[in-house]
mmCIF file of all heavy atoms in Angstrom:
data_model
loop_
_atom_site.group_PDB
_atom_site.id
_atom_site.type_symbol
_atom_site.label_atom_id
_atom_site.label_comp_id
_atom_site.label_asym_id
_atom_site.label_seq_id
_atom_site.Cartn_x
_atom_site.Cartn_y
_atom_site.Cartn_z
ATOM 1 N N TYR A 1 117.797 33.664 127.759
ATOM 2 C CA TYR A 1 117.257 32.728 128.743
ATOM 3 C C TYR A 1 116.629 31.530 128.044
ATOM 4 O O TYR A 1 116.942 30.385 128.352
ATOM 5 C CB TYR A 1 116.220 33.470 129.590
ATOM 6 C CG TYR A 1 115.667 32.711 130.764
ATOM 7 C CD1 TYR A 1 116.345 32.708 131.978
ATOM 8 C CD2 TYR A 1 114.455 32.039 130.690
ATOM 9 C CE1 TYR A 1 115.829 32.043 133.085
ATOM 10 C CE2 TYR A 1 113.932 31.373 131.783
ATOM 11 C CZ TYR A 1 114.625 31.385 132.980
ATOM 12 O OH TYR A 1 114.109 30.725 134.063
ATOM 13 N N LEU A 2 115.757 31.792 127.094
ATOM 14 C CA LEU A 2 115.081 30.704 126.380
ATOM 15 C C LEU A 2 116.063 29.852 125.586
ATOM 16 O O LEU A 2 115.915 28.635 125.503
ATOM 17 C CB LEU A 2 113.998 31.267 125.465
ATOM 18 C CG LEU A 2 112.786 31.876 126.173
ATOM 19 C CD1 LEU A 2 111.877 32.560 125.170
ATOM 20 C CD2 LEU A 2 112.035 30.823 126.969
ATOM 21 N N LYS A 3 117.063 30.494 124.995
ATOM 22 C CA LYS A 3 118.062 29.764 124.212
ATOM 23 C C LYS A 3 118.778 28.740 125.083
ATOM 24 O O LYS A 3 119.065 27.629 124.627
ATOM 25 C CB LYS A 3 119.064 30.746 123.601
ATOM 26 C CG LYS A 3 120.100 30.091 122.727
ATOM 27 C CD LYS A 3 121.035 31.119 122.118
ATOM 28 C CE LYS A 3 122.069 30.424 121.253
ATOM 29 N NZ LYS A 3 123.030 31.375 120.695
ATOM 30 N N HIS A 4 119.049 29.105 126.320
ATOM 31 C CA HIS A 4 119.715 28.176 127.236
ATOM 32 C C HIS A 4 118.907 26.891 127.400
ATOM 33 O O HIS A 4 119.469 25.810 127.556
ATOM 34 C CB HIS A 4 119.951 28.831 128.599
ATOM 35 C CG HIS A 4 120.583 27.911 129.591
ATOM 36 N ND1 HIS A 4 121.926 27.636 129.581
ATOM 37 C CD2 HIS A 4 120.054 27.175 130.589
ATOM 38 C CE1 HIS A 4 122.201 26.774 130.542
ATOM 39 N NE2 HIS A 4 121.085 26.477 131.173
ATOM 40 N N PHE A 5 117.584 27.006 127.353
ATOM 41 C CA PHE A 5 116.712 25.850 127.534
ATOM 42 C C PHE A 5 116.247 25.248 126.208
ATOM 43 O O PHE A 5 115.437 24.325 126.193
ATOM 44 C CB PHE A 5 115.497 26.235 128.384
ATOM 45 C CG PHE A 5 115.873 26.616 129.786
ATOM 46 C CD1 PHE A 5 115.975 27.948 130.155
ATOM 47 C CD2 PHE A 5 116.159 25.649 130.734
ATOM 48 C CE1 PHE A 5 116.338 28.311 131.441
ATOM 49 C CE2 PHE A 5 116.534 25.993 132.023
ATOM 50 C CZ PHE A 5 116.621 27.328 132.376
ATOM 51 N N GLY A 6 116.743 25.788 125.099
ATOM 52 C CA GLY A 6 116.361 25.263 123.791
ATOM 53 C C GLY A 6 114.898 25.497 123.462
ATOM 54 O O GLY A 6 114.273 24.689 122.791
ATOM 55 N N LYS A 7 114.363 26.613 123.912
ATOM 56 C CA LYS A 7 112.930 26.903 123.765
ATOM 57 C C LYS A 7 112.736 28.229 123.046
ATOM 58 O O LYS A 7 113.516 29.158 123.199
ATOM 59 C CB LYS A 7 112.304 26.963 125.167
ATOM 60 C CG LYS A 7 110.842 27.220 125.219
ATOM 61 C CD LYS A 7 110.064 25.958 124.973
ATOM 62 C CE LYS A 7 108.581 26.224 125.204
ATOM 63 N NZ LYS A 7 107.739 25.179 124.728
ATOM 64 N N THR A 8 111.694 28.302 122.234
ATOM 65 C CA THR A 8 111.284 29.577 121.653
ATOM 66 C C THR A 8 109.843 29.833 122.076
ATOM 67 O O THR A 8 109.023 28.915 122.095
ATOM 68 C CB THR A 8 111.382 29.577 120.116
ATOM 69 O OG1 THR A 8 110.591 28.508 119.605
ATOM 70 C CG2 THR A 8 112.809 29.421 119.653
ATOM 71 N N LEU A 9 109.563 31.056 122.437
ATOM 72 C CA LEU A 9 108.230 31.471 122.882
ATOM 73 C C LEU A 9 107.992 32.911 122.450
ATOM 74 O O LEU A 9 108.945 33.680 122.292
ATOM 75 C CB LEU A 9 108.143 31.451 124.411
ATOM 76 C CG LEU A 9 108.061 30.133 125.137
ATOM 77 C CD1 LEU A 9 108.244 30.350 126.633
ATOM 78 C CD2 LEU A 9 106.732 29.470 124.861
ATOM 79 N N PRO A 10 106.732 33.297 122.330
ATOM 80 C CA PRO A 10 106.452 34.722 122.167
ATOM 81 C C PRO A 10 106.885 35.450 123.440
ATOM 82 O O PRO A 10 106.753 34.910 124.545
ATOM 83 C CB PRO A 10 104.938 34.785 121.987
ATOM 84 C CG PRO A 10 104.464 33.391 121.806
ATOM 85 C CD PRO A 10 105.530 32.481 122.301
ATOM 86 N N ILE A 11 107.402 36.653 123.270
ATOM 87 C CA ILE A 11 107.893 37.450 124.397
ATOM 88 C C ILE A 11 107.184 38.796 124.403
ATOM 89 O O ILE A 11 107.079 39.454 123.360
ATOM 90 C CB ILE A 11 109.418 37.670 124.292
ATOM 91 C CG1 ILE A 11 110.149 36.334 124.314
ATOM 92 C CG2 ILE A 11 109.912 38.599 125.392
ATOM 93 C CD1 ILE A 11 111.612 36.429 123.915
ATOM 94 N N GLU A 12 106.737 39.200 125.579
ATOM 95 C CA GLU A 12 106.190 40.542 125.800
ATOM 96 C C GLU A 12 107.044 41.203 126.868
ATOM 97 O O GLU A 12 107.450 40.550 127.839
ATOM 98 C CB GLU A 12 104.734 40.483 126.280
ATOM 99 C CG GLU A 12 103.753 39.988 125.251
ATOM 100 C CD GLU A 12 103.401 41.038 124.194
ATOM 101 O OE1 GLU A 12 103.598 42.245 124.442
ATOM 102 O OE2 GLU A 12 102.933 40.628 123.129
ATOM 103 N N VAL A 13 107.309 42.493 126.708
ATOM 104 C CA VAL A 13 108.118 43.217 127.682
ATOM 105 C C VAL A 13 107.243 43.599 128.878
ATOM 106 O O VAL A 13 106.135 44.098 128.726
ATOM 107 C CB VAL A 13 108.752 44.474 127.049
ATOM 108 C CG1 VAL A 13 109.447 45.322 128.096
ATOM 109 C CG2 VAL A 13 109.736 44.072 125.958
ATOM 110 N N TYR A 14 107.749 43.307 130.070
ATOM 111 C CA TYR A 14 107.121 43.697 131.328
ATOM 112 C C TYR A 14 108.202 44.366 132.163
ATOM 113 O O TYR A 14 109.153 43.712 132.605
ATOM 114 C CB TYR A 14 106.549 42.479 132.062
ATOM 115 C CG TYR A 14 105.920 42.857 133.388
ATOM 116 C CD1 TYR A 14 104.584 43.210 133.460
ATOM 117 C CD2 TYR A 14 106.672 42.899 134.544
ATOM 118 C CE1 TYR A 14 104.012 43.594 134.659
ATOM 119 C CE2 TYR A 14 106.113 43.278 135.746
ATOM 120 C CZ TYR A 14 104.794 43.622 135.804
ATOM 121 O OH TYR A 14 104.236 44.008 136.994
ATOM 122 N N ASN A 15 108.088 45.678 132.328
ATOM 123 C CA ASN A 15 109.078 46.419 133.102
ATOM 124 C C ASN A 15 108.399 47.624 133.761
ATOM 125 O O ASN A 15 107.167 47.691 133.803
ATOM 126 C CB ASN A 15 110.272 46.832 132.230
ATOM 127 C CG ASN A 15 109.858 47.667 131.039
ATOM 128 O OD1 ASN A 15 108.859 48.369 131.060
ATOM 129 N ND2 ASN A 15 110.639 47.597 129.966
ATOM 130 N N LYS A 16 109.182 48.558 134.238
ATOM 131 C CA LYS A 16 108.600 49.705 134.953
ATOM 132 C C LYS A 16 107.762 50.599 134.045
ATOM 133 O O LYS A 16 107.018 51.439 134.529
ATOM 134 C CB LYS A 16 109.697 50.506 135.656
ATOM 135 C CG LYS A 16 110.718 51.127 134.729
ATOM 136 C CD LYS A 16 111.799 51.813 135.527
ATOM 137 C CE LYS A 16 112.857 52.401 134.612
ATOM 138 N NZ LYS A 16 113.932 53.036 135.382
ATOM 139 N N TYR A 17 107.834 50.406 132.746
ATOM 140 C CA TYR A 17 107.050 51.209 131.806
ATOM 141 C C TYR A 17 105.771 50.500 131.344
ATOM 142 O O TYR A 17 105.032 51.016 130.521
ATOM 143 C CB TYR A 17 107.894 51.573 130.585
ATOM 144 C CG TYR A 17 109.157 52.317 130.956
ATOM 145 C CD1 TYR A 17 110.402 51.695 130.844
ATOM 146 C CD2 TYR A 17 109.107 53.611 131.451
ATOM 147 C CE1 TYR A 17 111.562 52.361 131.211
ATOM 148 C CE2 TYR A 17 110.262 54.271 131.826
ATOM 149 C CZ TYR A 17 111.481 53.649 131.692
ATOM 150 O OH TYR A 17 112.623 54.308 132.062
ATOM 151 N N THR A 18 105.513 49.328 131.870
ATOM 152 C CA THR A 18 104.319 48.572 131.500
ATOM 153 C C THR A 18 103.075 49.347 131.929
ATOM 154 O O THR A 18 103.000 49.826 133.062
ATOM 155 C CB THR A 18 104.350 47.177 132.157
ATOM 156 O OG1 THR A 18 105.497 46.482 131.662
ATOM 157 C CG2 THR A 18 103.109 46.376 131.834
ATOM 158 N N THR A 19 102.112 49.445 131.028
ATOM 159 C CA THR A 19 100.900 50.235 131.284
ATOM 160 C C THR A 19 99.792 49.372 131.887
ATOM 161 O O THR A 19 99.860 48.141 131.872
ATOM 162 C CB THR A 19 100.375 50.847 129.975
ATOM 163 O OG1 THR A 19 99.945 49.778 129.115
ATOM 164 C CG2 THR A 19 101.440 51.684 129.281
ATOM 165 N N LYS A 20 98.762 50.020 132.373
ATOM 166 C CA LYS A 20 97.595 49.307 132.890
ATOM 167 C C LYS A 20 96.945 48.491 131.783
ATOM 168 O O LYS A 20 96.475 47.371 132.014
ATOM 169 C CB LYS A 20 96.587 50.282 133.480
ATOM 170 C CG LYS A 20 95.311 49.567 133.916
ATOM 171 C CD LYS A 20 94.524 50.294 134.920
ATOM 172 C CE LYS A 20 93.249 49.629 135.342
ATOM 173 N NZ LYS A 20 92.901 48.345 134.831
ATOM 174 N N GLN A 21 96.934 49.014 130.569
ATOM 175 C CA GLN A 21 96.376 48.269 129.440
ATOM 176 C C GLN A 21 97.167 46.987 129.192
ATOM 177 O O GLN A 21 96.590 45.948 128.888
ATOM 178 C CB GLN A 21 96.348 49.131 128.162
ATOM 179 C CG GLN A 21 95.363 50.276 128.211
ATOM 180 C CD GLN A 21 95.894 51.497 128.965
ATOM 181 O OE1 GLN A 21 97.071 51.584 129.316
ATOM 182 N NE2 GLN A 21 95.014 52.425 129.259
ATOM 183 N N ASP A 22 98.480 47.073 129.330
ATOM 184 C CA ASP A 22 99.320 45.874 129.200
ATOM 185 C C ASP A 22 98.971 44.861 130.278
ATOM 186 O O ASP A 22 98.834 43.669 130.002
ATOM 187 C CB ASP A 22 100.814 46.221 129.299
ATOM 188 C CG ASP A 22 101.317 47.056 128.137
ATOM 189 O OD1 ASP A 22 100.778 46.932 127.025
ATOM 190 O OD2 ASP A 22 102.263 47.834 128.362
ATOM 191 N N LEU A 23 98.830 45.338 131.516
ATOM 192 C CA LEU A 23 98.477 44.447 132.620
ATOM 193 C C LEU A 23 97.130 43.775 132.371
ATOM 194 O O LEU A 23 96.968 42.582 132.618
ATOM 195 C CB LEU A 23 98.447 45.207 133.941
ATOM 196 C CG LEU A 23 99.804 45.636 134.509
ATOM 197 C CD1 LEU A 23 99.611 46.509 135.744
ATOM 198 C CD2 LEU A 23 100.661 44.441 134.827
ATOM 199 N N ASP A 24 96.171 44.533 131.865
ATOM 200 C CA ASP A 24 94.857 43.965 131.549
ATOM 201 C C ASP A 24 94.972 42.889 130.470
ATOM 202 O O ASP A 24 94.312 41.856 130.538
ATOM 203 C CB ASP A 24 93.883 45.057 131.098
ATOM 204 C CG ASP A 24 93.482 45.986 132.237
ATOM 205 O OD1 ASP A 24 93.644 45.595 133.417
ATOM 206 O OD2 ASP A 24 93.016 47.104 131.943
ATOM 207 N N PHE A 25 95.818 43.133 129.466
ATOM 208 C CA PHE A 25 96.047 42.138 128.416
ATOM 209 C C PHE A 25 96.660 40.869 129.008
ATOM 210 O O PHE A 25 96.210 39.756 128.724
ATOM 211 C CB PHE A 25 96.949 42.701 127.317
ATOM 212 C CG PHE A 25 97.438 41.662 126.354
ATOM 213 C CD1 PHE A 25 96.589 41.104 125.409
ATOM 214 C CD2 PHE A 25 98.758 41.222 126.401
ATOM 215 C CE1 PHE A 25 97.039 40.129 124.536
ATOM 216 C CE2 PHE A 25 99.220 40.247 125.528
ATOM 217 C CZ PHE A 25 98.352 39.700 124.591
ATOM 218 N N PHE A 26 97.681 41.030 129.850
ATOM 219 C CA PHE A 26 98.322 39.870 130.471
ATOM 220 C C PHE A 26 97.315 39.092 131.314
ATOM 221 O O PHE A 26 97.288 37.860 131.281
ATOM 222 C CB PHE A 26 99.513 40.291 131.331
ATOM 223 C CG PHE A 26 100.604 41.019 130.588
ATOM 224 C CD1 PHE A 26 101.393 41.952 131.232
ATOM 225 C CD2 PHE A 26 100.842 40.782 129.238
ATOM 226 C CE1 PHE A 26 102.410 42.620 130.567
ATOM 227 C CE2 PHE A 26 101.855 41.443 128.554
ATOM 228 C CZ PHE A 26 102.634 42.370 129.225
ATOM 229 N N LEU A 27 96.486 39.829 132.043
ATOM 230 C CA LEU A 27 95.467 39.180 132.868
ATOM 231 C C LEU A 27 94.504 38.363 132.013
ATOM 232 O O LEU A 27 94.191 37.212 132.336
ATOM 233 C CB LEU A 27 94.703 40.230 133.668
ATOM 234 C CG LEU A 27 93.624 39.728 134.604
ATOM 235 C CD1 LEU A 27 94.227 38.877 135.710
ATOM 236 C CD2 LEU A 27 92.856 40.895 135.189
ATOM 237 N N SER A 28 94.068 38.917 130.903
ATOM 238 C CA SER A 28 93.148 38.183 130.028
ATOM 239 C C SER A 28 93.831 36.951 129.432
ATOM 240 O O SER A 28 93.199 35.901 129.295
ATOM 241 C CB SER A 28 92.601 39.085 128.923
ATOM 242 O OG SER A 28 93.608 39.434 128.001
ATOM 243 N N GLU A 29 95.096 37.044 129.111
ATOM 244 C CA GLU A 29 95.842 35.902 128.576
ATOM 245 C C GLU A 29 95.971 34.790 129.618
ATOM 246 O O GLU A 29 95.875 33.609 129.284
ATOM 247 C CB GLU A 29 97.238 36.335 128.113
ATOM 248 C CG GLU A 29 97.238 37.183 126.854
ATOM 249 C CD GLU A 29 96.836 36.390 125.631
ATOM 250 O OE1 GLU A 29 97.607 35.526 125.197
ATOM 251 O OE2 GLU A 29 95.724 36.639 125.127
ATOM 252 N N MET A 30 96.146 35.173 130.882
ATOM 253 C CA MET A 30 96.338 34.172 131.935
ATOM 254 C C MET A 30 95.065 33.391 132.249
ATOM 255 O O MET A 30 95.128 32.367 132.912
ATOM 256 C CB MET A 30 96.873 34.830 133.205
ATOM 257 C CG MET A 30 98.340 35.154 133.105
ATOM 258 S SD MET A 30 99.008 35.795 134.642
ATOM 259 C CE MET A 30 98.493 37.505 134.550
ATOM 260 N N ARG A 31 93.958 33.850 131.776
ATOM 261 C CA ARG A 31 92.706 33.119 132.009
ATOM 262 C C ARG A 31 92.667 31.817 131.207
ATOM 263 O O ARG A 31 91.977 30.885 131.589
ATOM 264 C CB ARG A 31 91.515 33.995 131.689
ATOM 265 C CG ARG A 31 91.404 35.188 132.623
ATOM 266 C CD ARG A 31 90.067 35.873 132.531
ATOM 267 N NE ARG A 31 90.044 37.114 133.265
ATOM 268 C CZ ARG A 31 89.960 37.226 134.582
ATOM 269 N NH1 ARG A 31 89.926 36.142 135.316
ATOM 270 N NH2 ARG A 31 89.923 38.402 135.168
ATOM 271 N N SER A 32 93.416 31.766 130.102
ATOM 272 C CA SER A 32 93.400 30.552 129.283
ATOM 273 C C SER A 32 94.793 30.014 128.956
ATOM 274 O O SER A 32 94.911 28.951 128.361
ATOM 275 C CB SER A 32 92.657 30.830 127.963
ATOM 276 O OG SER A 32 93.317 31.847 127.234
ATOM 277 N N LYS A 33 95.829 30.734 129.327
ATOM 278 C CA LYS A 33 97.198 30.333 129.008
ATOM 279 C C LYS A 33 98.075 30.401 130.248
ATOM 280 O O LYS A 33 97.710 30.994 131.253
ATOM 281 C CB LYS A 33 97.786 31.272 127.943
ATOM 282 C CG LYS A 33 97.060 31.229 126.617
ATOM 283 C CD LYS A 33 97.680 32.198 125.642
ATOM 284 C CE LYS A 33 96.921 32.165 124.311
ATOM 285 N NZ LYS A 33 97.409 33.178 123.396
ATOM 286 N N VAL A 34 99.250 29.813 130.127
ATOM 287 C CA VAL A 34 100.258 29.895 131.185
ATOM 288 C C VAL A 34 101.289 30.923 130.753
ATOM 289 O O VAL A 34 101.886 30.803 129.674
ATOM 290 C CB VAL A 34 100.935 28.528 131.426
ATOM 291 C CG1 VAL A 34 102.036 28.654 132.474
ATOM 292 C CG2 VAL A 34 99.907 27.489 131.839
ATOM 293 N N LEU A 35 101.488 31.940 131.580
ATOM 294 C CA LEU A 35 102.497 32.958 131.312
ATOM 295 C C LEU A 35 103.655 32.772 132.273
ATOM 296 O O LEU A 35 103.456 32.416 133.443
ATOM 297 C CB LEU A 35 101.918 34.367 131.484
ATOM 298 C CG LEU A 35 101.210 34.971 130.270
ATOM 299 C CD1 LEU A 35 100.007 34.169 129.861
ATOM 300 C CD2 LEU A 35 100.845 36.413 130.526
ATOM 301 N N GLY A 36 104.849 32.993 131.776
ATOM 302 C CA GLY A 36 106.036 32.979 132.610
ATOM 303 C C GLY A 36 106.542 34.392 132.755
ATOM 304 O O GLY A 36 106.345 35.219 131.864
ATOM 305 N N LEU A 37 107.163 34.706 133.872
ATOM 306 C CA LEU A 37 107.722 36.033 134.111
ATOM 307 C C LEU A 37 109.150 35.884 134.601
ATOM 308 O O LEU A 37 109.411 35.165 135.571
ATOM 309 C CB LEU A 37 106.882 36.779 135.152
ATOM 310 C CG LEU A 37 107.415 38.141 135.604
ATOM 311 C CD1 LEU A 37 107.468 39.139 134.446
ATOM 312 C CD2 LEU A 37 106.557 38.689 136.738
ATOM 313 N N ILE A 38 110.078 36.539 133.905
ATOM 314 C CA ILE A 38 111.470 36.594 134.363
ATOM 315 C C ILE A 38 111.899 38.047 134.458
ATOM 316 O O ILE A 38 111.378 38.924 133.759
ATOM 317 C CB ILE A 38 112.452 35.837 133.432
ATOM 318 C CG1 ILE A 38 112.459 36.424 132.024
ATOM 319 C CG2 ILE A 38 112.178 34.366 133.421
ATOM 320 C CD1 ILE A 38 113.603 35.942 131.160
ATOM 321 N N SER A 39 112.849 38.298 135.337
ATOM 322 C CA SER A 39 113.503 39.594 135.381
ATOM 323 C C SER A 39 114.878 39.411 134.742
ATOM 324 O O SER A 39 115.263 38.302 134.402
ATOM 325 C CB SER A 39 113.602 40.088 136.830
ATOM 326 O OG SER A 39 114.324 39.182 137.607
#
């Protein structure tokens, strides 16, 4: 997906196995950063 747009970004996996701790991390990141989500 990113290659199509000529962009590189850090990637974190978000799927049905994502834990509550992962969600808490994403939430803390969104307080100061912009996160994108794709399926």
Side-chain angles (χ1 to χ4, degrees):
Y1 187 85
L2 291 173
K3 182 178 180 183
H4 178 79
F5 295 100
K7 181 81 173 167
T8 57
L9 286 169
I11 299 167
E12 292 283 340
V13 173
Y14 179 89
N15 58 28
K16 63 184 178 182
Y17 303 109
T18 298
T19 66
K20 175 158 179 3
Q21 291 81 10
D22 293 330
L23 288 174
D24 290 341
F25 169 73
F26 300 151
L27 181 64
S28 69
E29 289 291 290
M30 283 185 279
R31 295 194 189 284
S32 61
K33 297 179 181 174
V34 177
L35 274 62
L37 175 63
I38 61 167
S39 59

